[in-house]
Amino acid sequence: MRIDTDYLVIGSGIAGLTFALEAARHGRVTVLTKRSQTDAATAWAQGGIAAVLAPDDTFDEHTADTLTTGGGISHRSIVEMVVEDAPARIEALVDLGTSFSPAGAPGGHVGPQGTGPLGALDLAREGGHGKRRVVHAGDITGAEVQRALLEAVHAQPNIELREHHMAIDLIDLARFGGPRRIVGAYALDNRTHTVVSIVAHATVLATGGAGKVYLYTS
């Protein structure tokens, strides 16, 4: 079986779903997940997402805290990019329907709260943060973000999400005498036990693994 698409996304966590929603503005998107659509590490993230939202906080302070806790291995340019983009990413998640804990919620934190276009959000202080800047949804932040992203994905007609499809190899034109170029992937449909060839203009690996929890990762 062959499927043709514009964008192939392997992985249905926060990275894969976010990319899929952006790419859907430009073409057809096929998302593969090896088990069910909710079976991703995203759902297990409990703490929250750090962003400069309080009036007494600054990008410079957030950057400095991150570089300090990074123990010398963080690249300043990447840290600054992530820190400065974080408020807009939080706003985008809210626009998608993510329900973060509001200021004054039971069990909330005393101190400066989020302000501006997002309204007042409860801000926690965790890890090496010198200010309260962690937006959260109770202690199930990852599950709430995943819920909102999946709802948005299912509402987007340009996105097809294929569950129980295990990516087994990339399709490289060099193997067929062409240039070194990835044009999709082979995937095993675990329900029918058949291999599906998915041909795409762009292939995105959003399978996690950066933390090297497993021996073999992408």
Side-chain angles (χ1 to χ4, degrees), residues 13-203:
I14 187 172
L17 297 181
T18 299
F19 177 85
L21 288 168
E22 293 293 329
R25 302 177 183 180
H26 309 286
R28 298 164 298 157
V29 184
T30 299
V31 179
L32 303 185
T33 181
K34 63 181 179 289
R35 289 188 284 270
S36 72
Q37 61 186 340
T38 57
D39 194 353
T42 294
W44 299 104
Q46 295 179 316
I49 306 171
V52 174
L53 297 175
D56 70 335
D57 201 2
T58 66
F59 289 150
D60 287 342
E61 289 175 288
H62 191 179
T63 296
D65 289 344
T66 304
L67 291 173
T68 297
T69 56
I73 64 173
S74 305
H75 293 275
R76 174 177 285 274
S77 61
I78 300 301
V79 171
E80 290 175 342
M81 180 270 290
V82 172
V83 164
E84 292 172 12
D85 197 42
R89 294 301 92 210
I90 296 297
E91 186 170 359
L93 287 172
V94 170
D95 289 343
L96 282 175
T98 307
S99 296
F100 291 112
S101 296
H109 305 84
V110 177
Q113 308 299 330
T115 57
L118 296 177
L121 297 177
D122 186 54
L123 300 179
R125 178 180 174 183
E126 298 179 0
H129 296 288
K131 293 287 180 67
R132 295 190 181 279
R133 60 171 70 103
V134 180
V135 177
H136 63 102
D139 60 356
I140 56 168
T141 306
E144 172 57 20
V145 170
Q146 182 186 66
R147 179 203 62 77
L149 287 170
L150 282 172
E151 285 190 6
V153 162
H154 288 304
Q156 173 53 257
N158 268 0
I159 301 177
E160 177 188 26
L161 198 157
R162 288 181 163 261
E163 297 180 294
H164 305 288
H165 276 64
M166 171 74 78
I168 54 179
D169 202 359
L170 297 174
I171 301 175
D172 186 351
L173 290 182
R175 296 178 183 175
F176 307 97
R180 185 69 191 272
R181 180 184 172 195
I182 303 302
V183 293
Y186 300 109
L188 175 65
D189 184 337
N190 288 310
R191 292 168 297 189
T192 63
H193 304 291
T194 58
V195 175
V196 180
S197 300
I198 305 170
V199 179
H201 297 301
T203 301

